[in-house]
Amino acid sequence: MSPASITISVAETVRSSLRAAPHWLWLAGPLLLIVAIPVADAFLPPDIHLAHLLVVAVAVTAVAFGPWLTALVGALAVLALVAAGTVRHTLTTESVVVEIAALVAVCAFLVFFTYLRGRRDQELVHVRSVSDATQRVVLRPLPEHAGPISFASEYHSAEADTGIGGDLYAAARVPGSTRVLIGDVRGKGLASISDTAIVLGAFRAAAHRPVPLPELVAYIEDAVGWGLAEFSGLEEDAAERFVTAAVLDIPDDEPVVHVVSCGHPPPLLLRHLNGTATALTVPEPSPPLGLGVAIDTTYAAATFPFEHGDRLVLYTDGVSEARNERGVFYPLTERVAAWADQPPVPLVESLTADLRDYVGGRLHDDMAVIVIQRDGAPSEQSPSEAA
């Protein structure tokens, strides 16, 4: 870490600590210095002079406050320096005049600095509000309930301070069933958001159609293939852009789940009767989205049991391919089996916390996980509520 980075980090830490303290403590230190230094100067020998330390009071104020309060403390510091010089009868000496001029200059600089910082903070607030709104539009939260099933989910982007990256999920209701998409765009972080938006837009446009699952995936493939090609700068770039995905259809009145896998890691089925975790491996997987049109792909759905009380764990490779310090992959199936009796929300929380501990606290890839539980009879919900 560079010295500049260390200085910025320390300043931000001090600033956060000061803002977390009660209001009356924020100015206690600077005001105490402004009062104590001139008083101490009056009793110290002539060759010991502390008034130049008044700049510390202004600097501490500038760390935590804006330009107006910094200017006020700066003015008090200058008056304290003048008072100290008057008491010691040194106000007109060259050294004190230089100290006053230097203090005024430093105060002016710190006031200007806090003004610029305030403008930057306002810009950051605006940018973050726009970013948050965009993220909510692109990656909408999953509903808590849709028909006879309930959801819990967790999402982490590889890039700090962003809520969306190359992983994606969505759910939609059609009469008689719930459809779920989970996917992973090639790449990670902010650079993959455009591809994420293309896939989610294609799913949302088609998922409400009452067509068989293979036809739905074929439509999504066509839309994704066109979208990725249109937004690719080079032909070679288009060939390297693809999305692994799993698309599920969960009927309300049948204890099954239909799965089409497009190169995505298999869902895990947690049986409520015996607490086992089983990978739902599709016998005929399809290529990732974005590649299917080029090779004239046909899609086949595999059907698996999904009964009352069972849970499905959908995830991206940011979970299954996370490594510890020894380079060992995260043992997802084993860990999930240990939490087979947990409801969806606690299960997701346990999985996320355990994954972070396993990798040492920082995830280096986008990560998405969904837990779906079949609760029983369909709830009274319109088809649009889960979109």
Side-chain angles (χ1 to χ4, degrees):
M1 183 178 293
S2 67
S5 300
I6 295 175
T7 302
I8 294 172
S9 177
V10 171
E12 290 297 332
T13 302
V14 172
R15 189 179 176 195
S16 300
S17 301
L18 288 172
R19 284 184 167 177
H23 281 69
W24 64 272
L25 288 178
W26 290 357
L27 290 176
L31 293 179
L32 181 61
L33 283 174
I34 290 174
V35 173
I37 288 176
V39 173
D41 253 6
F43 296 96
L44 291 174
D47 58 334
I48 300 177
H49 192 40
L50 300 180
H52 58 278
L53 295 178
L54 287 167
V55 70
V56 175
V58 188
V60 170
T61 305
V63 169
F65 299 98
W68 291 108
L69 196 53
T70 302
L72 175 62
V73 173
L76 292 176
V78 172
L79 291 176
L81 181 56
V82 171
T86 302
V87 170
R88 299 182 62 150
H89 306 290
T90 57
L91 182 60
T92 58
T93 63
E94 182 178 354
S95 61
V96 173
V97 171
V98 171
E99 285 181 358
I100 294 175
L103 182 58
V104 170
V106 171
C107 291
F109 171 78
L110 290 175
V111 169
F112 181 65
F113 166 78
T114 55
Y115 168 75
L116 293 180
R117 188 186 63 202
R119 289 189 57 184
R120 184 205 64 177
D121 290 345
Q122 291 178 354
E123 292 173 356
L124 285 177
V125 169
H126 177 69
V127 169
R128 285 175 178 173
S129 65
V130 173
S131 175
D132 290 342
T134 302
Q135 291 167 6
R136 287 193 295 270
V137 170
V138 175
L139 189 68
R140 301 173 191 170
L142 293 176
E144 293 183 4
H145 301 280
I149 66 175
S150 56
F151 289 96
S153 61
E154 188 72 24
Y155 191 104
H156 290 281
S157 175
E159 297 191 21
D161 300 323
T162 60
I164 187 172
D167 289 356
L168 55 98
Y169 51 64
R173 283 286 291 166
V174 294
S177 71
T178 302
R179 288 171 170 173
V180 182
L181 165 73
I182 187 167
D184 185 358
V185 173
R186 181 181 180 271
K188 62 183 180 180
L190 294 174
S192 57
I193 290 181
S194 63
D195 294 354
T196 299
I198 290 171
V199 178
L200 289 173
F203 175 79
R204 290 168 181 150
H208 300 284
R209 298 183 178 186
V211 297
L213 189 61
E215 293 185 25
L216 169 65
V217 179
Y219 175 88
I220 296 174
E221 163 61 43
D222 183 65
V224 170
W226 175 85
L228 296 181
E230 182 183 32
F231 290 98
S232 296
L234 300 172
E235 185 175 341
E236 293 80 2
D237 181 40
E240 295 178 356
R241 297 173 70 182
F242 57 85
V243 184
T244 67
V247 187
L248 288 68
D249 186 84
I250 306 173
D252 293 346
D253 301 323
E254 296 180 67
V256 298
V257 57
H258 307 294
V259 182
V260 173
S261 175
C262 300
H264 199 75
L268 297 177
L269 174 65
L270 303 181
R271 303 305 304 270
H272 76 289
L273 295 177
N274 53 23
T276 59
T278 305
L280 303 185
T281 303
V282 175
E284 301 179 24
S286 303
L289 299 174
L291 302 178
V293 172
I295 57 179
D296 193 21
T297 300
T298 58
Y299 298 94
T303 301
F304 302 94
F306 185 43
E307 301 177 355
H308 171 69
D310 289 349
R311 286 175 294 282
L312 287 170
V313 180
L314 313 181
Y315 55 94
T316 59
D317 61 10
V319 177
S320 58
E321 296 183 4
R323 300 171 185 259
N324 63 10
E325 58 184 9
R326 299 187 302 275
V328 179
F329 287 122
Y330 180 68
L332 176 62
T333 303
E334 298 175 12
R335 300 296 176 93
V336 167
W339 306 314
D341 59 340
Q342 293 187 0
V345 172
L347 197 159
V348 167
E349 292 174 349
S350 297
L351 174 58
T352 304
D354 186 63
L355 180 64
R356 286 190 175 276
D357 290 340
Y358 188 82
V359 301
R362 174 66 187 275
L363 297 172
H364 299 286
D365 193 4
D366 299 325
M367 182 278 281
V369 61
I370 307 172
V371 175
I372 305 171
Q373 177 174 291
R374 185 183 287 277
D375 296 322
S379 62
E380 295 297 327
Q381 184 180 32
S382 67
S384 62
E385 288 178 331

